[in-house]
């Protein structure tokens, strides 16, 4: 189930399986289920990397002050097809089970869990931002909301932190403007690299250099920055060659749907030939850095110069 769909759903389930790498969404989901059942803290237990016996023992404890006992097991993966979890699902009346895993589990997904996707979700992010400002009595345009999503790369922990900052600054005037977002929100490194590439694609050389200088002035590790830009262009080349099948690219590249859509849009601003030449140049400089023939800072500048020259 998509996270936005889950978050809007008022129906109670007895077993939930949260899967995905966004820890913020995991915590939101757990808190939502706690409120749904009105569970007192004394009837809530959180277990980290426990075994099946420990989990079942906790599930069999009767609730004290609430209608149900809520047990959340983090990073629980069971490969036994005849496990006791199946018995619990079929016969338990006292407890609600939440399994919160960063990775998927094929064996657990075969059981009748309410599976909730806790991956980066642009639709939920936009709704979350709009709702936050509404509750704070602050108006924000759709453009502002989208810009916050872009600058944070839909990282919900970053979004939450930036919203607190924007709200404190804009509370008195009651409105968020584009300039507020541009001046207050810290741009995620992935967004900066996307921005750098977009400026290069659109021949806005001065703005491209400004973004690069900004990253360097904020002490981004040179080796990591170089590899990040290199990997970014490898991703664009792959997207350019493999059409517009978003789901397939998500699986192959191992990145989120949001990042794939951004990459496809940006890749289409370059020809496949240009992207191949750029990647060949990055490969050459990377090889020279690893062999000690070229310093990483020089490799970074030469790479960017070669891309701008295309």
């Amino acid at each position: 189930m998509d996270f936005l769909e889950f978050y809007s759903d008022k129906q109670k389930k007895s077993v939930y399986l949260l899967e995905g790498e966004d820890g913020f969404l995991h915590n939101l989901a757990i808190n939502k289920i706690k409120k749904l059942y009105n569970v007192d803290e004394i009837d809530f237990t959180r277990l980290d990397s426990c075994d099946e016996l420990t989990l079942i023992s906790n599930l069999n404890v009767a609730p004290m002050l609430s209608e149900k006992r809520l047990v959340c097991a983090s990073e629980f993966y069971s490969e036994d097809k005849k496990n006791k979890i199946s018995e619990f699902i079929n016969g338990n009346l006292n407890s609600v089970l939440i399994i919160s895993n960063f990775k998927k589990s094929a064996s657990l997904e075969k059981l009748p869990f309410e599976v909730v996707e806790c991956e980066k979700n642009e639709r939920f992010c936009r709704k979350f931002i709009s709702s936050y400002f509404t509750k704070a009595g602050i108006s924000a345009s759709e453009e502002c909301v989208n810009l916050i999503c872009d600058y944070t790369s839909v990282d919900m922990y970053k979004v939450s932190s930036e919203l607190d900052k924007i709200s404190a600054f804009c509370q008195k005037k009651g409105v968020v403007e584009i300039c507020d977002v541009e001046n207050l929100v810290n741009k995620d490194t992935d967004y900066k690299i996307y921005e750098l590439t977009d400026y290069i694609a659109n021949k806005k050389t001065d703005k491209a250099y400004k973004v690069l200088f900004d990253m360097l002035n904020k002490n981004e590790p040179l080796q990591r920055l170089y590899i990040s830009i290199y990997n970014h262009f490898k991703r664009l080349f792959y997207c350019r060659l493999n059409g517009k099948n978003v789901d397939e690219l998500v699986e192959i590249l191992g990145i989120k749907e949001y990042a794939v859509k951004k990459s496809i849009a940006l890749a289409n601003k370059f020809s496949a030939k240009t992207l191949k030449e750029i990647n060949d140049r990055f490969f050459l400089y990377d090889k020279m850095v690893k062999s000690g023939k070229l310093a990483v800072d020089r490799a970074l500048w030469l790479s960017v110069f070669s891309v701008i020259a295309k």
Side-chain angles (χ1 to χ4, degrees), residues 17-21 26 75 77 101-105 109:
L17 176 59
L18 315 179
E19 293 184 327
E21 298 178 357
H26 278 262
E75 295 306 288
Y77 302 92
N101 291 342
F102 273 26
K103 297 178 181 178
K104 291 182 178 294
S105 170
E109 287 180 355

Side-chain angles (χ1 to χ4, degrees), residues 36-249:
L36 200 60
Y37 278 95
N38 195 26
V39 173
D40 191 279
E41 280 300 318
I42 199 170
D43 289 317
F44 175 69
T45 300
R46 188 156 196 166
L47 305 169
D48 293 320
S49 302
C50 67
D51 56 35
E52 194 173 80
L53 181 61
T54 302
L55 178 56
I56 295 298
S57 297
N58 277 272
L59 287 169
N60 286 331
V61 176
M64 296 181 66
L65 301 177
S66 312
E67 174 192 352
K68 296 276 188 178
R69 181 174 179 78
L70 188 59
V71 179
C72 177
S74 299
E75 295 306 288
F76 177 86
Y77 302 92
S78 177
E79 299 302 327
D80 184 0
K81 294 182 180 178
K82 297 181 179 179
N83 56 55
K84 293 185 179 296
I85 300 298
S86 299
E87 297 175 18
F88 163 79
I89 292 173
N90 293 326
N92 180 74
L93 296 174
N94 293 324
S95 301
V96 175
L97 169 62
I98 304 172
I99 293 180
S100 175
N101 291 342
F102 273 26
K103 297 178 181 178
K104 291 182 178 294
S105 170
S107 60
L108 290 175
E109 287 180 355
K110 292 177 182 177
L111 299 176
F113 280 94
E114 181 76 7
V115 181
V116 181
E117 297 174 7
C118 294
E119 301 284 3
K120 283 185 177 181
N121 187 311
E122 187 177 0
R123 289 195 308 128
F124 176 78
C125 185
R126 289 198 299 265
K127 186 176 179 63
F128 181 87
I129 294 169
S130 297
S131 177
Y132 180 98
F133 286 135
T134 299
K135 290 177 181 177
I138 300 171
S139 64
S141 67
E142 184 179 345
E143 188 178 1
C144 285
V145 171
N146 290 338
L147 200 57
I148 294 170
C149 286
D150 285 343
Y151 281 7
T152 58
S153 295
V154 197
D155 183 314
M156 292 304 299
Y157 279 116
K158 292 179 182 176
V159 169
S160 180
S161 175
E162 296 299 340
L163 289 180
D164 290 341
K165 188 199 306 181
I166 296 170
S167 178
F169 184 83
C170 299
Q171 190 69 58
K172 285 186 178 180
K173 64 178 181 176
V175 61
V176 179
E177 299 173 289
I178 292 294
C179 60
D180 298 323
V181 178
E182 292 175 339
N183 293 330
L184 294 172
V185 177
N186 290 319
K187 295 179 183 177
D188 183 82
T189 299
D190 286 342
Y191 178 79
K192 290 178 183 176
I193 293 173
Y194 172 87
E195 191 177 37
L196 170 71
T197 313
D198 189 53
Y199 283 143
I200 291 172
N202 291 310
K203 307 298 182 183
K204 297 180 180 179
T205 308
D206 53 338
K207 291 187 175 182
Y209 284 134
K210 186 178 183 300
V211 172
L212 184 58
F213 275 119
D214 182 57
M215 287 191 283
L216 293 172
N217 289 335
K218 290 186 177 178
N219 296 319
E220 294 277 1
L222 287 175
Q223 184 68 36
R224 188 196 306 170
L225 184 57
Y226 178 75
I227 294 300
S228 295
I229 296 174
Y230 181 17
N231 287 337
H232 178 70
F233 275 102
K234 283 197 286 187
R235 181 192 303 172
L236 294 187
F237 183 45
Y238 201 92
C239 288
R240 193 71 176 84
L241 292 179
N242 288 273
K244 298 179 180 180
N245 191 327
V246 175
D247 292 337
E248 183 179 332
L249 287 170

